[in-house]
Amino acid sequence: MSLDLRGLIGRIVRKGNLTIVYASGETVVYGDDGGTAVRIRLADAAAEAELAADPTLKLGELFMDGRFVMEQGSIYDFLELVKGNTINEVFSPLMAARLIGRTVVSQIAARNPINRNRYNVAHHYDLSAKLFDLFLDEDWQYSCAYFNPPGIGLDEAQLAKKRHIAAKLLLEPDQSILEIGSGWGGMAMYLSEAVGADVTGITLSEEQLKVSRDRAARRGLSNRVRFELQDYRYLKSQTYDRIVSVGMFEHVGRTHYDRFFRKAAELLSRDGVMVLHSIGRPKPSYMTNPFIEKYIFPGGYIPSVGEVVPSVEKAGLLVRDVEILPLHYAQTLRAWRERFVARKAEAVALYDERFFRMWEFYLAGSEIAFRWDELFVFQMQIARQQFATPDNRNYIQEREAVLKQFEATRPPLERVAF
């Protein structure tokens, strides 16, 4: 099997500078000696066999287990080297068979009527809040930042994201706002303070709920910003002037889009506006990356814009604006990864070395997906009737200017106390 791995890597890596030390001690150099030097040691012959048979899952697992060892360069450097040589090709009948099998399992699971939403969310978001404090911005925004203007830092880019979404929501004083997937409460608090709105945020994460309520109380917003442990599907039929959902739609599942937008239509007032912020892909897929599915976001699915729009239309809603943010998440993930790696000792103390490597691989692999696999973020503005939004986009910049004035007088945020 080790010979198969040598042949596989030789077919893939034609460019770059890759050195692999195999379990036998043999050292093989691949590529044309260009770019960043990457050196890997494979700890045992079984690791070589596993990697050759199932690289899409086993690479991450072997890295986690310390059997795929980076001796020079980072795991990101290795993934970038591979992607620079090939984009998602299948190199053996065994890989093709595994791909077909996973596709079948994914399609069956997507149609499974058993509700695992609460479990899936808890798997990721109910990790220790201290973990997220290692790498998120000062407001704990765990979604794509908006690096506009280019060159700004993570904290400023996350503020720009909130400002950009708030402008598209066309906020007015004293409106009622529903946030589906409220995270750690930063967006809800921003929207409420910006215009004096009454905001209800819902989440399925008990850890996020606890942190959000504490943050709102410390900021004196508990009377205008409330957070509930609530599944969107079972919300009562109260109507809201505005609905916002940031980084939650990826967990809905592609067979449930009709239900999601029917509920949105039921909850949105006649003159209401909704903004949906989600990761997207250039065309439909039939499965999620097996490493991400198993270890990071079970039950998740990244849609294409074309998969979303029909469900919006079926619900009787109108798509009023779609904006594509092509590389902003790659920049966000790089900032997260750099912060996370810089605080490795603290992450290991919270969990262990294996967990640290799992998350480093997740952050590195996700950045690669946005830089090389054409993933992006889209912001879709939705309304029930066409006069709810202007007939041009000039209002976005104008409203952002006003929001910047609000931000200049807004009291500084407090870091969460542990």
Side-chain angles (χ1 to χ4, degrees), residues 86-121:
T86 180
I87 302 292
N88 298 330
E89 281 128 6
V90 175
F91 287 94
S92 74
L94 181 57
M95 288 184 195
R98 288 188 187 278
L99 179 62
I100 293 169
R102 285 179 176 138
T103 299
V104 171
V105 170
S106 178
Q107 292 295 303
I108 292 171
R111 290 159 176 77
N112 192 331
I114 297 173
N115 176 22
R116 293 176 60 84
N117 286 5
R118 183 78 172 270
Y119 166 81
N120 292 339
V121 168

Side-chain angles (χ1 to χ4, degrees), residues 5-48:
L5 181 61
R6 288 171 174 79
L8 175 64
I9 295 174
R11 289 196 298 275
I12 294 173
V13 180
R14 304 298 181 88
K15 300 180 296 182
N17 184 350
L18 174 65
T19 300
I20 298 184
V21 182
Y22 289 93
S24 65
E26 179 186 4
T27 300
V28 181
V29 178
Y30 301 89
D32 60 4
D33 199 33
T36 301
V38 177
R39 182 183 174 95
I40 292 156
R41 177 171 54 82
L42 291 162
D44 54 79
E48 298 173 18

Side-chain angles (χ1 to χ4, degrees), residues 117-329:
N117 286 5
R118 183 78 172 270
Y119 166 81
N120 292 339
V121 168
H123 178 90
H124 189 89
Y125 295 100
D126 281 348
L127 294 168
S128 170
K130 294 180 182 179
L131 171 71
F132 296 96
D133 193 49
L134 296 179
F135 64 92
L136 295 183
D137 65 295
E138 62 182 1
D139 195 30
W140 282 35
Q141 292 292 302
Y142 192 37
S143 58
C144 177
Y146 183 46
F147 288 85
N148 186 31
I152 59 176
L154 179 65
D155 288 271
E156 192 176 349
Q158 290 290 13
L159 179 59
K161 183 263 301 291
K162 289 177 287 187
R163 183 190 311 130
H164 199 52
I165 290 172
K168 292 182 180 183
L169 283 169
L170 296 154
L171 297 177
E172 298 296 342
D174 301 321
Q175 287 179 326
S176 60
I177 303 173
L178 171 67
E179 183 179 13
I180 303 175
S182 51
W184 285 280
M187 178 65 78
M189 292 192 299
Y190 179 92
L191 297 178
S192 178
E193 290 183 324
V195 294
D198 185 271
V199 186
T200 299
I202 61 172
T203 179
L204 291 178
S205 166
E206 293 185 2
E207 185 74 7
Q208 289 186 334
L209 179 71
K210 179 177 67 176
V211 172
S212 297
R213 285 177 169 173
D214 179 67
R215 294 184 74 200
R218 287 171 178 270
R219 208 154 174 83
L221 294 173
S222 296
N223 62 328
R224 290 192 284 124
V225 180
R226 65 198 58 81
F227 299 99
E228 304 294 340
L229 195 69
Q230 174 72 59
D231 190 315
Y232 75 91
R233 294 173 297 181
Y234 308 118
L235 280 170
K236 296 179 181 178
S237 298
Q238 172 187 349
T239 58
Y240 296 86
D241 299 306
R242 300 291 185 261
I243 299 177
V244 62
S245 184
V246 179
M248 174 272 177
F249 192 70
E250 301 89 334
H251 303 285
V252 169
R254 58 189 177 276
T255 59
H256 303 295
Y257 295 164
D258 287 357
R259 185 172 187 177
F260 179 86
F261 288 108
R262 282 200 306 269
K263 176 57 72 170
E266 178 185 317
L267 296 170
L268 190 62
S269 69
R270 174 64 183 166
D271 296 323
V273 176
M274 175 179 181
V275 173
L276 177 70
H277 171 116
S278 173
I279 300 172
R281 65 172 71 246
K283 59 184 178 181
S285 180
Y286 298 99
M287 59 172 285
T288 298
N289 175 277
F291 180 86
I292 296 295
E293 170 66 29
K294 183 175 181 179
Y295 292 100
I296 308 299
F297 292 116
Y301 177 74
I302 295 172
S304 71
V305 174
E307 289 177 290
V308 177
V309 171
S311 295
V312 176
E313 295 172 347
K314 287 179 187 176
L317 296 167
L318 303 176
V319 176
R320 303 299 294 152
D321 186 86
V322 178
E323 182 176 8
I324 304 298
L325 307 179
L327 287 172
H328 291 261
Y329 219 155

